[in-house]
Amino acid sequence: MKPDTEQSLISIKTTRQDHRIAWLTALAITIHIAESVFPSPLPGVKPGLANVITIAVLMLYGWSTAVWVSLLRVLVGSILIGTFLTPTFTLSLAGAVSSILVLGLATLLPGRGLGPVGYSLLAAQAHMAGQFLTAYWLFIPHEGLFGLLPLLMTMAVVFGLVSGLIVMAMLPRLDGKTS
Amino acid sequence: MPIPKNSKQQLRTRVLSLLLIIILTSLPLSCSKPPQQHHKTQFMALGTLVTVSLWDVDDELAAKAISAVESELNHVSMTWHAWQPSTLTKINDALATGATIPADPATLSLLSRARDLARRSDQLFNPAIGKLIALWGFQSDDRPDAPPPPKAEIERLLANLPDMNNLIIEKQTLRSTNMDLKIDLGGFAKGFAVDQAISSLQEMGIKNAIVNAGGDLRAIGAHGERPWRIGIRDPQSAGIIATIDTGDDESVFTSGNYERFFTYDGVKYHHIIDPRTGYPAVGTLSATVIHSDASTADAAATALLIAGSENWQKIARQMGVSQVMLIDSKMRIHMTPEMNQRVYFRTETKPEIIISDLDTQSGNQK
Amino acid sequence: MTRADIFVIGFTLALLPFLYSTYWNREGPAETAHIMDQSGREFTVPLSTNQQLSIEGPLGVSLVEIKDGQIRFLDSPCRGKQCVHAGWLKQSGEFAACLPNRVSITVSGKDALYDSINF
């Protein structure tokens, strides 16, 4: 996929930054698809590894770009796996929306604010909580579901920490190449 | 250095957003419920085992509630017991002499309710046949496996069988026009007692409870977030045939031929006597009624068991009960569509179910 | 890492024990399964009788097997079959669900079968 050929087809000037965002979105979609085969005690509820990209984008390009990358990831990802408009899609969307909302609020924090690990943990927890409550409200209002909550939240914390550390390692490399 | 106004506002937004994050991330926790208490107490009353279940009631109130229920049930027993000395036995003795006797408003109102239910049941629920019940030996706590009464004696009573229309209620007095009239409120007193017990609980501010008197119950409220779950016993085994989740305030009453009986010469004689034949009702193993008040449910369950699987619809309609289930001797289930919505069968093979709609039916179903 | 990061890490870690103590109650072996279908109706089945149950959902029929005091999804018309991979439920409080077919199962121990018996 050469940028040149694309430019000749549709004459929109794309910047280096646009390309980077496109690549990051593609990467997010890849992770989303890889994650879809991840076994979870509650089908459709995922740890949210794709948040790695959301947080990297958030820190590099700001919240509104992160919103786009995240929503695009859910949309394209589920179309590619074939879960579009199924409960799985609804849950992914719920996870993405809740984590993006929490991240949006987190960017408003005073002082130096949060680093990648803090963002990632918050995003992972919001992601899980959003999915869990959506599953409970929309699909299976079964009290027994709450028995899974501790396990799922532990999963969220572990993956949130891991994602945060990945972002931390990733950022300096991405950062150097931007501007 | 004074802080400029807009940065003050910014600070406020930031603090608010921090709070919001904390609220959002701990949202799942907010769904948590405080640990609630489930009290279950058993005691003997009304000649049977009574179980009171309470949900979300503290220990102190629970103890008060249990004793209130106990005294309520004992009061009903002392007033309406059919064979141990009670207000009712005194009334029966007086009526048998042909006297006109004064009675208090509570007694009169209960008797006229029983009379009304009896009329609506086409006298299948007949509380006036105490003599017939006594003849069969069921006016005792434990009927021995002795022979059934002679046919001639049953027929003698049937020839002049009293019903509640023979009881004249006038200006706070009672009088009988049939000297064989002997009131026995089996099939009604238990329901009445359960109703009284539930209202005493409600007066104490208790919202979630079950009062179960020997298998017949009224449930109010729920067991926390889920409804109270009632198991209905299989008339032929000790197991559970179906479950029902009760609504906010409902009574579940079953009359069954397995509850009290004696066996003689290999024949089983149960305690629900068909006033038309003078013998135990045949053809139906059990009749279950769900209704708001327990008194009506009790009388209806008795009447419908006697009516049987062919004729129950008319009686159910007249008595104003819409949730009815009969199990006949071939283990076929007869029910109303309203009941069908409520029961979940737990048997391994789904039983044969026959549904009759009361509203669209004009007469007896063939 | 910033001070806010440390705060967030502390907060999330503190949350976990709380969640476990509130929702994690595994008390002995399961005796009863509570199955909820797409209508939201919950029904209760004892684990003492070996049997197979078919539960209708929007995608088709989910097959549930009860054997030797345990219960599992035998088959379900969903794609990932994660409900089937969840395996046997045998400890009180365990849970499995086929979300696409809206069928969920939780198991509980003694005394949870009925609140009262009618006869």
PDB file of all heavy atoms in Angstrom, chain A residues 9-28:
ATOM      1  N   LEU A   9      -5.436   8.370  -6.849  1.00  0.00           N
ATOM      2  CA  LEU A   9      -6.838   8.014  -7.020  1.00  0.00           C
ATOM      3  C   LEU A   9      -7.759   9.097  -6.468  1.00  0.00           C
ATOM      4  O   LEU A   9      -8.664   9.549  -7.145  1.00  0.00           O
ATOM      5  CB  LEU A   9      -7.133   6.683  -6.307  1.00  0.00           C
ATOM      6  CG  LEU A   9      -6.630   5.430  -7.022  1.00  0.00           C
ATOM      7  CD1 LEU A   9      -6.779   4.227  -6.127  1.00  0.00           C
ATOM      8  CD2 LEU A   9      -7.392   5.218  -8.336  1.00  0.00           C
ATOM      9  N   ILE A  10      -7.518   9.453  -5.242  1.00  0.00           N
ATOM     10  CA  ILE A  10      -8.336  10.511  -4.655  1.00  0.00           C
ATOM     11  C   ILE A  10      -7.397  11.632  -4.243  1.00  0.00           C
ATOM     12  O   ILE A  10      -6.464  11.418  -3.468  1.00  0.00           O
ATOM     13  CB  ILE A  10      -9.130   9.997  -3.426  1.00  0.00           C
ATOM     14  CG1 ILE A  10      -8.298   8.942  -2.649  1.00  0.00           C
ATOM     15  CG2 ILE A  10     -10.467   9.421  -3.790  1.00  0.00           C
ATOM     16  CD1 ILE A  10      -8.734   8.737  -1.245  1.00  0.00           C
ATOM     17  N   SER A  11      -7.644  12.764  -4.796  1.00  0.00           N
ATOM     18  CA  SER A  11      -6.660  13.829  -4.604  1.00  0.00           C
ATOM     19  C   SER A  11      -6.902  14.574  -3.302  1.00  0.00           C
ATOM     20  O   SER A  11      -7.392  15.691  -3.278  1.00  0.00           O
ATOM     21  CB  SER A  11      -6.680  14.774  -5.800  1.00  0.00           C
ATOM     22  OG  SER A  11      -8.022  15.125  -6.075  1.00  0.00           O
ATOM     23  N   ILE A  12      -6.654  13.865  -2.172  1.00  0.00           N
ATOM     24  CA  ILE A  12      -6.702  14.527  -0.885  1.00  0.00           C
ATOM     25  C   ILE A  12      -5.288  14.536  -0.354  1.00  0.00           C
ATOM     26  O   ILE A  12      -4.599  13.509  -0.387  1.00  0.00           O
ATOM     27  CB  ILE A  12      -7.632  13.775   0.097  1.00  0.00           C
ATOM     28  CG1 ILE A  12      -9.073  13.827  -0.407  1.00  0.00           C
ATOM     29  CG2 ILE A  12      -7.526  14.354   1.504  1.00  0.00           C
ATOM     30  CD1 ILE A  12     -10.036  12.965   0.359  1.00  0.00           C
ATOM     31  N   LYS A  13      -4.874  15.665   0.125  1.00  0.00           N
ATOM     32  CA  LYS A  13      -3.513  15.726   0.654  1.00  0.00           C
ATOM     33  C   LYS A  13      -3.483  15.105   2.033  1.00  0.00           C
ATOM     34  O   LYS A  13      -4.192  15.532   2.934  1.00  0.00           O
ATOM     35  CB  LYS A  13      -3.039  17.180   0.720  1.00  0.00           C
ATOM     36  CG  LYS A  13      -2.588  17.689  -0.614  1.00  0.00           C
ATOM     37  CD  LYS A  13      -1.591  18.810  -0.447  1.00  0.00           C
ATOM     38  CE  LYS A  13      -0.969  19.147  -1.799  1.00  0.00           C
ATOM     39  NZ  LYS A  13      -0.267  20.436  -1.770  1.00  0.00           N
ATOM     40  N   THR A  14      -2.731  14.038   2.152  1.00  0.00           N
ATOM     41  CA  THR A  14      -2.611  13.431   3.466  1.00  0.00           C
ATOM     42  C   THR A  14      -1.234  13.733   4.013  1.00  0.00           C
ATOM     43  O   THR A  14      -0.239  13.710   3.286  1.00  0.00           O
ATOM     44  CB  THR A  14      -2.791  11.910   3.395  1.00  0.00           C
ATOM     45  OG1 THR A  14      -1.904  11.421   2.397  1.00  0.00           O
ATOM     46  CG2 THR A  14      -4.206  11.532   3.046  1.00  0.00           C
ATOM     47  N   THR A  15      -1.261  14.002   5.327  1.00  0.00           N
ATOM     48  CA  THR A  15       0.020  14.289   5.968  1.00  0.00           C
ATOM     49  C   THR A  15       0.619  13.005   6.492  1.00  0.00           C
ATOM     50  O   THR A  15      -0.033  11.950   6.530  1.00  0.00           O
ATOM     51  CB  THR A  15      -0.176  15.251   7.143  1.00  0.00           C
ATOM     52  OG1 THR A  15      -1.021  14.590   8.094  1.00  0.00           O
ATOM     53  CG2 THR A  15      -0.819  16.539   6.703  1.00  0.00           C
ATOM     54  N   ARG A  16       1.849  13.110   6.925  1.00  0.00           N
ATOM     55  CA  ARG A  16       2.535  11.988   7.548  1.00  0.00           C
ATOM     56  C   ARG A  16       1.745  11.528   8.778  1.00  0.00           C
ATOM     57  O   ARG A  16       1.625  10.341   9.051  1.00  0.00           O
ATOM     58  CB  ARG A  16       3.936  12.469   7.957  1.00  0.00           C
ATOM     59  CG  ARG A  16       4.913  11.373   8.123  1.00  0.00           C
ATOM     60  CD  ARG A  16       6.279  11.985   8.441  1.00  0.00           C
ATOM     61  NE  ARG A  16       7.072  11.065   9.230  1.00  0.00           N
ATOM     62  CZ  ARG A  16       7.584   9.947   8.758  1.00  0.00           C
ATOM     63  NH1 ARG A  16       7.384   9.606   7.501  1.00  0.00           N
ATOM     64  NH2 ARG A  16       8.301   9.148   9.533  1.00  0.00           N
ATOM     65  N   GLN A  17       1.174  12.532   9.462  1.00  0.00           N
ATOM     66  CA  GLN A  17       0.398  12.222  10.664  1.00  0.00           C
ATOM     67  C   GLN A  17      -0.843  11.399  10.320  1.00  0.00           C
ATOM     68  O   GLN A  17      -1.179  10.444  11.004  1.00  0.00           O
ATOM     69  CB  GLN A  17      -0.010  13.516  11.368  1.00  0.00           C
ATOM     70  CG  GLN A  17      -0.778  13.276  12.640  1.00  0.00           C
ATOM     71  CD  GLN A  17      -1.103  14.579  13.361  1.00  0.00           C
ATOM     72  OE1 GLN A  17      -0.340  15.536  13.309  1.00  0.00           O
ATOM     73  NE2 GLN A  17      -2.231  14.615  14.029  1.00  0.00           N
ATOM     74  N   ASP A  18      -1.520  11.754   9.225  1.00  0.00           N
ATOM     75  CA  ASP A  18      -2.694  10.993   8.795  1.00  0.00           C
ATOM     76  C   ASP A  18      -2.324   9.536   8.569  1.00  0.00           C
ATOM     77  O   ASP A  18      -3.033   8.623   8.973  1.00  0.00           O
ATOM     78  CB  ASP A  18      -3.273  11.563   7.492  1.00  0.00           C
ATOM     79  CG  ASP A  18      -3.891  12.924   7.723  1.00  0.00           C
ATOM     80  OD1 ASP A  18      -4.268  13.201   8.879  1.00  0.00           O
ATOM     81  OD2 ASP A  18      -3.975  13.699   6.766  1.00  0.00           O
ATOM     82  N   HIS A  19      -1.210   9.340   7.918  1.00  0.00           N
ATOM     83  CA  HIS A  19      -0.779   7.980   7.630  1.00  0.00           C
ATOM     84  C   HIS A  19      -0.516   7.207   8.905  1.00  0.00           C
ATOM     85  O   HIS A  19      -0.893   6.057   9.040  1.00  0.00           O
ATOM     86  CB  HIS A  19       0.493   8.003   6.767  1.00  0.00           C
ATOM     87  CG  HIS A  19       0.217   8.469   5.390  1.00  0.00           C
ATOM     88  ND1 HIS A  19      -0.119   7.616   4.372  1.00  0.00           N
ATOM     89  CD2 HIS A  19       0.184   9.725   4.869  1.00  0.00           C
ATOM     90  CE1 HIS A  19      -0.335   8.322   3.276  1.00  0.00           C
ATOM     91  NE2 HIS A  19      -0.161   9.617   3.551  1.00  0.00           N
ATOM     92  N   ARG A  20       0.132   7.916   9.832  1.00  0.00           N
ATOM     93  CA  ARG A  20       0.449   7.265  11.098  1.00  0.00           C
ATOM     94  C   ARG A  20      -0.843   6.842  11.807  1.00  0.00           C
ATOM     95  O   ARG A  20      -0.947   5.729  12.294  1.00  0.00           O
ATOM     96  CB  ARG A  20       1.264   8.211  11.983  1.00  0.00           C
ATOM     97  CG  ARG A  20       1.802   7.513  13.207  1.00  0.00           C
ATOM     98  CD  ARG A  20       2.830   8.356  13.919  1.00  0.00           C
ATOM     99  NE  ARG A  20       3.948   8.686  13.047  1.00  0.00           N
ATOM    100  CZ  ARG A  20       4.963   7.853  12.815  1.00  0.00           C
ATOM    101  NH1 ARG A  20       5.000   6.693  13.402  1.00  0.00           N
ATOM    102  NH2 ARG A  20       5.941   8.201  12.010  1.00  0.00           N
ATOM    103  N   ILE A  21      -1.832   7.735  11.796  1.00  0.00           N
ATOM    104  CA  ILE A  21      -3.109   7.407  12.447  1.00  0.00           C
ATOM    105  C   ILE A  21      -3.766   6.222  11.748  1.00  0.00           C
ATOM    106  O   ILE A  21      -4.286   5.301  12.381  1.00  0.00           O
ATOM    107  CB  ILE A  21      -4.040   8.635  12.476  1.00  0.00           C
ATOM    108  CG1 ILE A  21      -3.457   9.682  13.427  1.00  0.00           C
ATOM    109  CG2 ILE A  21      -5.457   8.246  12.917  1.00  0.00           C
ATOM    110  CD1 ILE A  21      -4.128  11.026  13.367  1.00  0.00           C
ATOM    111  N   ALA A  22      -3.707   6.230  10.414  1.00  0.00           N
ATOM    112  CA  ALA A  22      -4.293   5.130   9.655  1.00  0.00           C
ATOM    113  C   ALA A  22      -3.622   3.815  10.020  1.00  0.00           C
ATOM    114  O   ALA A  22      -4.279   2.791  10.246  1.00  0.00           O
ATOM    115  CB  ALA A  22      -4.155   5.390   8.157  1.00  0.00           C
ATOM    116  N   TRP A  23      -2.298   3.853  10.112  1.00  0.00           N
ATOM    117  CA  TRP A  23      -1.572   2.637  10.469  1.00  0.00           C
ATOM    118  C   TRP A  23      -1.927   2.173  11.884  1.00  0.00           C
ATOM    119  O   TRP A  23      -2.114   0.983  12.124  1.00  0.00           O
ATOM    120  CB  TRP A  23      -0.050   2.865  10.374  1.00  0.00           C
ATOM    121  CG  TRP A  23       0.434   2.659   8.974  1.00  0.00           C
ATOM    122  CD1 TRP A  23       0.894   3.599   8.114  1.00  0.00           C
ATOM    123  CD2 TRP A  23       0.490   1.416   8.278  1.00  0.00           C
ATOM    124  NE1 TRP A  23       1.232   3.043   6.906  1.00  0.00           N
ATOM    125  CE2 TRP A  23       0.984   1.700   6.980  1.00  0.00           C
ATOM    126  CE3 TRP A  23       0.150   0.097   8.592  1.00  0.00           C
ATOM    127  CZ2 TRP A  23       1.161   0.699   6.022  1.00  0.00           C
ATOM    128  CZ3 TRP A  23       0.335  -0.884   7.635  1.00  0.00           C
ATOM    129  CH2 TRP A  23       0.830  -0.580   6.362  1.00  0.00           C
ATOM    130  N   LEU A  24      -2.024   3.135  12.787  1.00  0.00           N
ATOM    131  CA  LEU A  24      -2.370   2.778  14.166  1.00  0.00           C
ATOM    132  C   LEU A  24      -3.768   2.163  14.229  1.00  0.00           C
ATOM    133  O   LEU A  24      -4.006   1.192  14.949  1.00  0.00           O
ATOM    134  CB  LEU A  24      -2.285   4.000  15.082  1.00  0.00           C
ATOM    135  CG  LEU A  24      -0.856   4.435  15.445  1.00  0.00           C
ATOM    136  CD1 LEU A  24      -0.853   5.802  16.106  1.00  0.00           C
ATOM    137  CD2 LEU A  24      -0.208   3.405  16.355  1.00  0.00           C
ATOM    138  N   THR A  25      -4.702   2.736  13.446  1.00  0.00           N
ATOM    139  CA  THR A  25      -6.061   2.184  13.410  1.00  0.00           C
ATOM    140  C   THR A  25      -6.017   0.749  12.895  1.00  0.00           C
ATOM    141  O   THR A  25      -6.634  -0.158  13.461  1.00  0.00           O
ATOM    142  CB  THR A  25      -6.973   3.028  12.510  1.00  0.00           C
ATOM    143  OG1 THR A  25      -6.841   4.392  12.894  1.00  0.00           O
ATOM    144  CG2 THR A  25      -8.425   2.597  12.649  1.00  0.00           C
ATOM    145  N   ALA A  26      -5.247   0.551  11.813  1.00  0.00           N
ATOM    146  CA  ALA A  26      -5.122  -0.794  11.252  1.00  0.00           C
ATOM    147  C   ALA A  26      -4.580  -1.760  12.302  1.00  0.00           C
ATOM    148  O   ALA A  26      -5.062  -2.887  12.459  1.00  0.00           O
ATOM    149  CB  ALA A  26      -4.204  -0.768  10.032  1.00  0.00           C
ATOM    150  N   LEU A  27      -3.606  -1.282  13.057  1.00  0.00           N
ATOM    151  CA  LEU A  27      -3.016  -2.111  14.103  1.00  0.00           C
ATOM    152  C   LEU A  27      -4.060  -2.430  15.183  1.00  0.00           C
ATOM    153  O   LEU A  27      -4.179  -3.573  15.640  1.00  0.00           O
ATOM    154  CB  LEU A  27      -1.832  -1.363  14.728  1.00  0.00           C
ATOM    155  CG  LEU A  27      -0.891  -2.176  15.612  1.00  0.00           C
ATOM    156  CD1 LEU A  27      -0.313  -3.361  14.844  1.00  0.00           C
ATOM    157  CD2 LEU A  27       0.230  -1.290  16.150  1.00  0.00           C
ATOM    158  N   ALA A  28      -4.834  -1.400  15.530  1.00  0.00           N
ATOM    159  CA  ALA A  28      -5.888  -1.594  16.537  1.00  0.00           C
ATOM    160  C   ALA A  28      -6.884  -2.638  16.063  1.00  0.00           C
ATOM    161  O   ALA A  28      -7.318  -3.501  16.836  1.00  0.00           O
ATOM    162  CB  ALA A  28      -6.591  -0.276  16.820  1.00  0.00           C
TER     163      ALA A  28
END
